[in-house]
């Protein structure tokens, strides 16, 4: 279908980011967008969304996602999957949830065949042994995106975890990665 065009008021570097994301989306190749904070990762990502999307974010930014979607993609039906009486809306174009809910409802969220799965503040899965990371890995999606201003904070295996979400198997197993990359660069 080609690269989606966007009429949103975005900067040239954001345009390049959107074009890159759309290219990867169309090829169903995962993406790690690691721009600095405040450079528009959310806007770039929501511009490239197509199909049924799940966005997982810290609770503190879920409302920002809802506001940005309302402002820049008002034609999309957005559903918040949060709270004690949460229920997945199969008609929603974008389902917003938190890392806590992803961990708690891992099985229900993994049952859905998402077109897109986005992890905002993806350093939340930096520990690949955490329940949150395992829940993220279990999601079924044609296209996976990790957004982070700090993709590596302490150790290179944090990068392995992000890529294991966006490109399962690309960097090999953790042990292989640690031996070939992690320990070689200590």
């Amino acid at each position: 279908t080609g690269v989606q065009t966007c009429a949103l008021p975005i900067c040239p570097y954001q345009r390049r980011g959107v074009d890159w994301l759309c290219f990867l989306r169309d090829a169903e190749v995962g993406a790690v967008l690691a721009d600095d904070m405040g450079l528009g990762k959310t806007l770039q990502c929501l511009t490239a969304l197509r199909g049924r999307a799940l966005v997982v974010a810290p609770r503190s930014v879920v409302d920002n996602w809802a506001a940005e979607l309302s402002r820049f993609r008002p034609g999309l039906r957005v559903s918040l999957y949060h709270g004690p009486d949460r229920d997945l809306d199969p008609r929603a174009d974008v389902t917003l949830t938190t890392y806590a809910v992803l961990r708690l409802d891992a099985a229900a969220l993994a049952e859905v065949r998402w077109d897109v799965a986005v992890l905002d503040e993806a350093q939340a899965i930096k520990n690949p042994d955490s329940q949150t990371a395992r829940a993220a890995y279990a999601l079924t999606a044609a296209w996976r995106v990790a957004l982070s201003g700090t993709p590596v904070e302490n150790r290179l295996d944090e990068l392995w975890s992000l890529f294991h979400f966006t490109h399962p198997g690309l960097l090999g197993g953790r042990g292989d990665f640690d031996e070939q990359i992690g320990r070689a660069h200590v």
Side-chain angles (χ1 to χ4, degrees), residues 15 19 67 75 99 109 114 116 129 174 178 180:
R15 161 56 54 210
D19 290 346
Y99 284 101
L109 292 168
W114 304 98
V116 184
D129 294 322
R174 281 178 59 203
D178 187 43
Q180 294 175 13

Side-chain angles (χ1 to χ4, degrees), residues 44-78:
Q44 292 174 66
C45 185
L46 68 85
T47 301
L49 294 181
R50 184 171 64 199
R52 188 172 184 201
L54 173 69
V55 176
V56 183
R59 181 65 188 110
S60 61
V61 298
V62 167
D63 292 335
N64 181 63
W65 269 91
E68 295 290 284
L69 283 158
S70 176
R71 180 176 174 196
F72 294 112
R73 300 289 304 271
L76 296 180
R77 182 182 172 113
V78 178

Side-chain angles (χ1 to χ4, degrees), residues 115-135:
D115 295 304
V116 184
V118 177
L119 301 183
D120 190 10
E121 303 291 342
Q123 65 273 13
I125 66 162
K126 68 183 179 181
N127 176 358
D129 294 322
S130 70
Q131 290 178 341
T132 303
R134 289 194 302 262

Side-chain angles (χ1 to χ4, degrees), residues 6-43:
C6 170
L8 298 179
I10 59 177
C11 302
Y13 73 87
Q14 291 172 324
R15 161 56 54 210
R16 285 191 297 279
V18 169
D19 290 346
W20 176 72
L21 287 171
C22 290
F23 170 78
L24 294 175
R25 178 204 62 212
D26 292 347
E28 295 184 355
V29 174
V32 176
L33 183 58
D35 285 346
D36 286 336
M37 190 170 116
L39 293 181
K41 292 182 295 291
T42 301
L43 177 59

